[in-house]
Amino acid sequence: MAAAARLVLRTASGAKVLRAGLGWLGAPIRVPHAAAHFTFHPDPVPTRHGPTQKMNLFQSITSALDNTLSSDPTAVIFGEDVAFGGVFRCTVGLRDKYGKDRVFNTPLCEQGIVGFGIGVAVAGATAIAEIQFADYIFPAFDQIVNEAAKYRYRSGNMFDCGNLTIRAPWGCVGHGSLYHSQSPEAFFAHCPGIKVVIPRSPVQAKGLLLSCIADKNPCIFFEPKILYRAAVEQVPTEPYLIPLSQAEVLQEGSDVTLVAWGTQVHVMKEVAAMAQEKLGVSCEVIDLQTILPWDTETVCKSVVKTGRLLISHEAPVTGGFAAEISSTVQEECFLNLEAPIARVCGYDTPFPHIFEPFYIPDKWKCFDAVKRMINY
Amino acid sequence: MAALRGLYRTGLGALCRRKGYQGFGVTHYRPFRVNGALHQQPFDSLEEKPQFPGASAEFVDRLEFIQPNVISGIPVYRVMDRQGQIINQAEDPKLSKEMVLNCYKKMTLLNTMDRILYESQRQGRISFYMTNYGEEGTHVGSAAALEPNDIIFGQYREAGVLMYRGFPLDLFMAQCYANADDLGKGRQMPVHYGSKDLNFVTISSPLATQIPQAAGAAYAVKRENSNRVVICFFGEGAASEGDAHAGFNFSATLECPIIFFCRNNGYAISTPTNEQYRGDGIAARGPGYGMMSIRVDGNDVFAVYNATKEARRRAIAENQPFLIEAMTYRIGHHSTSDDSSAYRSVDEVNYWDKQDHPISRLRHYMTARGWWGEEEEKTWRKQSRKHVMEAFERAEKRHKPRLDLLFSDVYQEMTPNIEKQKEAMWNHLKHYKEQYPLDLYDK
């Protein structure tokens, strides 16, 4: 990994260039794999949750899982390849520490992983199921939507699978293409009975994951894979909870509300800075965090103040979750709006490979949307 | 080519011997399982034996495809003949008179309840119903072999299992009528029973979804060391679903104490078994997963009992899944929405009703021992019908559940959006209440 990194330079435009050190492979070439389209902005070091340690996103996940296995003897973690540590290293060391009956591989079968997880939860144990990529969650869609989400309601509260948490890597990663880049939160937002949560950083991830695990409803926790190594923060080593269904206002502003979740929150922070610097526009940045049930109050309160809303996500724009937010906000805040609500999202295409830099809702597209809203 | 091979072997062989390797490669041993036990076979590349990690087998040098055997499939285990006579005395579980009578009464009570509720749907009193005609033996034989704490996952045609466990007629009726006494709070179609007290997980309509769930529950039960088994019922049609494959494979690889009980009743709505599968039924799939498997006569209560009892004992003792395929026949229609004369002959149905019925076979066994006769039969029929009719009349009169229950239990807690929608509904009813049948519901 380090050897490969040494061979790569970045040009001014952000394109990667391979050095001539490759010898017989010929002259250096430019490759369009985007240098990251965002800069990760770490949050200030938390002081309320005890001692902290430098962790990246996958390490903060491991820490949350470690805390859980330590305090809850019924907790088990399972999925494809979790035993050796997982393809993204989220479960490294846990099998050795807690035993092979608690951290184990399953056969390659997502409908089985989620179905099995529901059963573990129904029997009263804490089930943490890993789906290797969110792109592969669809075989489990029936188990999630028809079973997990409806277990409590259909049984008159006699049975439930609240002890189930499903984790999956999510979102674009620079080269993931159709099947390693998807953001499927909109499919699940349409399903009453489950919760859908997406963190923007290691500190958020650990607290939100622990809340999902503690929550008495089945939860889906999407982890932005591009942040697994890129996002590094000081994260409390002890367990702590960040409440679900509470959006966070990351910076206050008066002219435009920017709403996003996951990786896109960092894009929005840069857009806010650009808007201030180039347009003198003050943006309020909100991290939605929980997609379902979502915090309508915080978003609407902000739009009542600013009168302008921009929502941005990587997932395709049609039927994406921005549509739900937009619809609710126009119902609640119609007379406060100064401009139509803007959605800057992925195009209505499958997630492309070589065209990723053009597909994603980057800071320039968002900045441009802010400009048009201000000038409306 | 042969010379090259010879060179290769001497070269490598020499290398191995000089370096003192037993083999070459990263590991010296390859793991494989026999009957769930993990073995380690020394990795000796010099031996003429397959070394593949994926299978433990010998080489063969003749090209021959394995022919699936469907003419002479897995045999059907039975204890009684069609006239209720024990064939092999050693297999008679010798259940007490009390227990056998209880089995008989539960089967016939179920049959009586089925007739009355089927009729009530025809008369528009309930919206839907599914009978269990012909399969009562599979329900009662298996239920009798379980302990009360064993967890049951069903499909939808296992009402006799729940009845055997003691679910009262009033609650069966309450669920079918979706009245205010329904434990499920009126949310599901009829026959979607559930009971936390009786460890019977609430039925859901999607087929086979319960199969991997049951495997998960069994895994959790195993970790508890609570001496319980999980049993999972499904039909031969549902066994075609991907979830069935998932559940079988997970239960075997993860060593779960579970009984998979397949009711092979010949039809999935109108689809006969030769359009459902081409192999030797469901039992033949078990070995493919590394699972202990058996096929039994589902219309023989004792065969079902014996197989379930032994499967239970071993599943718990050995932490491995057992597959029981109970062969039976669906005498009734699939449901009240089906008329099976559209796809099968009345003669075929009559054969099973008259010549091979689990209730009559057990009755022959009982009458042969002097435990039952015409008088008892007459008295019991009258009594059971009376009980069913009384429960039926009570259930009909009962109100439906209060409207707030439309909105609760989506999550453990009430959420703001659902609370707002509930208020909107009540607000709507304030202005439009004449348009809605409010008087049928509890306040």
Side-chain angles (χ1 to χ4, degrees):
Chain A
M1 214 40 208
R6 274 202 295 276
L7 291 171
V8 172
L9 293 172
R10 296 230 164 89
T11 65
S13 69
K16 286 187 190 166
V17 179
L18 300 172
R19 269 178 65 168
L22 284 167
W24 64 272
L25 282 177
I29 59 166
R30 288 173 66 214
V31 293
H33 312 312
H37 62 288
F38 67 98
T39 308
F40 174 71
H41 296 82
D43 284 330
V45 179
T47 49
R48 289 167 35 225
H49 302 297
T52 64
Q53 193 182 300
K54 185 165 119 178
M55 296 185 209
N56 61 26
L57 183 67
F58 74 71
Q59 289 164 337
S60 73
I61 301 294
T62 315
S63 177
L65 298 176
D66 194 343
N67 291 155
T68 300
L69 290 170
S70 167
S71 63
D72 178 353
T74 73
V76 289
I77 301 173
F78 50 91
E80 295 150 21
D81 304 298
V82 302
F84 88 104
V87 292
F88 288 110
R89 320 257 280 272
C90 293
T91 51
V92 167
L94 298 179
R95 183 178 171 93
D96 285 341
K97 192 167 172 187
Y98 294 101
K100 59 186 177 62
D101 62 319
R102 299 188 69 188
V103 181
F104 51 92
N105 291 339
T106 64
L108 209 167
C109 178
E110 287 75 15
Q111 68 194 103
I113 290 169
V114 174
F116 178 90
I118 291 171
V120 170
V122 168
T126 298
I128 302 165
E130 177 175 306
I131 299 293
Q132 199 154 85
F133 283 86
D135 313 56
Y136 308 141
I137 202 165
F138 301 108
F141 201 72
D142 186 44
Q143 286 284 353
I144 294 170
V145 167
N146 267 336
E147 296 289 314
K150 298 174 168 61
Y151 232 89
R152 188 188 295 277
Y153 187 81
R154 75 188 187 201
S155 69
N157 200 26
M158 284 193 286
F159 298 96
D160 70 82
C161 55
N163 292 334
L164 173 65
T165 303
I166 301 166
R167 303 174 32 247
W170 168 102
C172 79
V173 70
H175 55 277
S177 179
L178 283 79
Y179 302 113
H180 300 81
S181 313
Q182 289 180 48
S183 307
E185 66 272 12
F187 293 104
F188 299 100
H190 192 54
C191 180
I194 52 169
K195 296 196 176 180
V196 180
V197 178
I198 307 174
R200 68 172 183 274
S201 73
V203 170
Q204 292 293 308
K206 178 169 167 171
L208 289 170
L209 178 56
L210 286 172
S211 287
C212 286
I213 293 169
D215 197 281
K216 292 289 173 232
N217 303 289
C219 296
I220 303 179
F221 187 76
F222 287 125
E223 300 164 2
K225 65 178 83 67
I226 202 174
L227 298 180
Y228 273 142
R229 292 164 61 88
V232 182
E233 281 179 325
Q234 288 289 125
V235 181
T237 51
E238 292 301 310
Y240 59 97
L241 300 177
I242 292 178
L244 303 183
S245 297
Q246 282 187 30
E248 191 180 339
V249 179
L250 298 184
Q251 71 181 62
E252 291 189 11
S254 51
D255 303 325
V256 182
T257 302
L258 306 176
V259 173
W261 47 91
T263 317
Q264 200 66 6
V265 172
H266 304 286
V267 176
M268 292 312 222
K269 283 183 176 175
E270 287 185 58
V271 173
M274 285 161 71
Q276 182 66 68
E277 188 198 317
K278 298 180 201 283
L279 307 170
V281 163
S282 153
C283 294
E284 183 147 293
V285 179
I286 299 180
D287 177 6
L288 194 64
Q289 292 180 352
T290 300
I291 306 302
L292 180 77
W294 69 282
D295 182 358
T296 56
E297 203 183 308
T298 300
V299 175
C300 290
K301 186 161 148 223
S302 174
V303 178
V304 163
K305 184 171 70 168
T306 63
R308 295 176 193 83
L309 174 62
L310 185 153
I311 315 153
S312 185
H313 56 65
E314 292 165 22
V317 63
T318 297
F321 197 65
E324 158 65 24
I325 298 173
S326 178
S327 183
T328 299
V329 168
Q330 66 86 31
E331 271 173 9
E332 302 291 320
C333 315
F334 185 72
L335 294 175
N336 302 97
L337 290 171
E338 296 290 338
I341 298 170
R343 296 180 292 161
V344 182
C345 305
Y347 300 124
D348 288 335
T349 70
F351 201 106
H353 178 222
I354 211 67
F355 309 110
E356 178 167 333
F358 301 89
Y359 173 90
I360 51 173
D362 61 22
K363 60 190 178 195
W364 299 109
K365 293 181 184 171
C366 294
F367 172 73
D368 192 64
V370 168
K371 203 155 88 164
R372 276 183 276 114
M373 271 200 294
I374 291 296
N375 294 328
Y376 185 77
Chain B
M1 197 53 197
L4 210 66
R5 221 179 16 238
L7 263 173
Y8 184 76
R9 280 182 67 178
T10 31
L12 239 26
L15 177 74
C16 291
R17 281 189 286 275
R18 187 166 62 230
K19 294 259 176 163
Y21 289 164
Q22 273 197 287
F24 57 94
V26 179
T27 53
H28 292 260
Y29 289 87
R30 63 179 195 91
F32 65 98
R33 288 185 187 271
V34 176
N35 291 334
L38 186 63
H39 295 259
Q40 296 282 354
Q41 182 184 73
F43 210 147
D44 191 343
S45 63
L46 299 178
E47 243 199 72
E48 274 299 309
K49 202 175 149 43
Q51 301 293 314
F52 305 111
S56 171
E58 298 290 337
F59 279 119
V60 68
D61 57 23
R62 216 180 76 231
L63 174 66
E64 189 181 352
F65 288 98
I66 297 170
Q67 169 112 6
N69 187 352
V70 297
I71 305 297
S72 177
I74 294 175
V76 183
Y77 168 70
R78 66 173 180 173
V79 174
M80 292 186 279
D81 62 20
R82 294 189 183 93
Q83 288 73 43
Q85 313 263 47
I86 301 287
I87 298 166
N88 177 356
Q89 283 302 327
E91 296 295 306
D92 183 351
K94 299 198 174 51
L95 302 179
S96 68
K97 175 179 172 187
E98 193 189 334
M99 192 163 173
V100 174
L101 254 55
N102 184 35
C103 286
Y104 182 77
K105 286 185 172 178
K106 289 294 185 315
M107 289 199 288
T108 47
L109 184 63
L110 174 63
N111 192 279
T112 303
M113 183 179 85
D114 274 353
R115 283 173 205 284
I116 287 166
L117 285 175
Y118 185 90
E119 221 10 74
S120 81
Q121 192 279 341
R122 276 359 220 168
Q123 296 176 14
R125 295 165 187 266
I126 59 174
S127 60
F128 175 81
Y129 193 69
M130 299 177 101
T131 58
N132 301 273
Y133 302 146
E135 301 186 50
E136 298 89 345
T138 62
H139 301 179
V140 160
S142 56
L146 299 172
E147 296 297 311
N149 281 342
D150 294 333
I151 305 177
I152 300 171
F153 284 81
Q155 179 170 300
Y156 54 54
R157 219 183 290 279
E158 294 90 14
V161 177
L162 193 50
M163 188 169 269
Y164 187 92
R165 278 223 163 152
F167 201 60
L169 289 170
D170 279 325
L171 290 181
F172 278 110
M173 303 281 175
Q175 200 283 327
C176 288
Y177 276 90
N179 67 28
D181 295 331
D182 177 24
L183 299 179
K185 301 179 185 170
R187 291 159 180 162
Q188 291 217 78
M189 282 168 74
V191 312
H192 289 64
Y193 311 114
S195 167
K196 180 136 189 85
D197 292 342
L198 301 178
N199 294 303
F200 188 96
V201 180
T202 302
I203 300 301
S204 72
S205 307
L207 296 183
T209 48
Q210 73 276 17
I211 301 177
Q213 292 172 19
Y219 190 88
V221 156
K222 175 172 82 165
R223 289 201 71 241
E224 278 174 8
N225 260 317
S226 55
N227 223 355
R228 298 194 283 166
V229 85
V230 172
I231 189 165
C232 181
F233 292 90
F234 53 96
E236 87 286 350
S240 295
E241 282 279 1
D243 271 346
H245 162 69
F248 297 159
N249 200 21
F250 274 57
S251 70
T253 53
L254 300 175
E255 297 169 2
C256 303
I258 184 168
I259 301 170
F260 290 115
F261 194 105
C262 176
R263 294 175 294 96
N264 187 331
N265 64 12
Y267 289 90
I269 307 188
S270 69
T271 305
T273 53
N274 71 327
E275 289 174 12
Q276 194 65 247
Y277 54 75
R278 274 310 146 84
D280 177 23
I282 312 310
R285 298 179 197 171
Y289 294 100
M291 244 192 322
M292 299 291 295
S293 316
I294 192 170
R295 171 173 286 151
V296 307
D297 179 345
N299 290 352
D300 175 347
V301 174
F302 297 141
V304 172
Y305 176 86
N306 284 351
T308 307
K309 192 112 186 123
E310 179 65 358
R312 181 187 187 280
R313 184 188 72 77
R314 290 187 61 185
I316 294 175
E318 299 163 26
N319 282 320
Q320 63 167 320
F322 279 76
L323 173 61
I324 298 175
E325 184 182 19
M327 308 307 292
T328 179
Y329 187 84
R330 193 197 77 208
I331 290 175
H333 306 300
H334 165 70
S335 73
T336 47
S337 307
D338 176 49
D339 176 6
S340 61
S341 65
Y343 51 83
R344 61 182 182 177
S345 72
V346 175
D347 288 340
E348 179 186 308
V349 179
N350 273 336
Y351 166 81
W352 290 96
D353 198 23
K354 303 278 181 296
Q355 312 288 355
D356 190 346
H357 199 291
I359 291 177
S360 23
R361 281 166 79 177
L362 191 63
R363 187 171 59 245
H364 290 319
Y365 177 88
M366 285 157 49
T367 52
R369 274 152 193 74
W371 294 350
W372 197 256
E374 281 291 325
E375 271 309 304
E376 287 86 354
E377 182 71 21
K378 237 171 62 188
T379 312
W380 170 242
R381 274 190 205 232
K382 214 165 125 202
Q383 189 184 35
S384 54
R385 191 182 158 79
K386 181 164 169 285
H387 283 152
V388 173
M389 286 308 299
E390 284 169 356
F392 171 81
E393 274 150 27
R394 280 194 295 271
E396 283 222 316
K397 293 198 180 72
R398 198 72 181 81
H399 269 169
K400 303 309 178 194
R402 59 193 168 82
L403 293 179
D404 278 351
L405 294 178
L406 189 167
F407 296 100
S408 58
D409 303 325
V410 178
Y411 296 93
Q412 187 206 38
E413 72 281 5
M414 178 56 76
T415 56
N417 60 321
I418 299 175
E419 180 70 44
K420 262 177 77 172
Q421 290 165 19
K422 183 169 73 166
E423 282 162 19
M425 187 203 76
W426 281 116
N427 209 29
H428 175 76
L429 288 177
K430 248 207 293 242
H431 304 291
Y432 290 88
K433 56 170 157 313
E434 318 75 37
Q435 311 300 336
Y436 297 87
L438 281 168
D439 54 316
L440 296 178
Y441 294 77
D442 255 2
K443 296 285 168 279

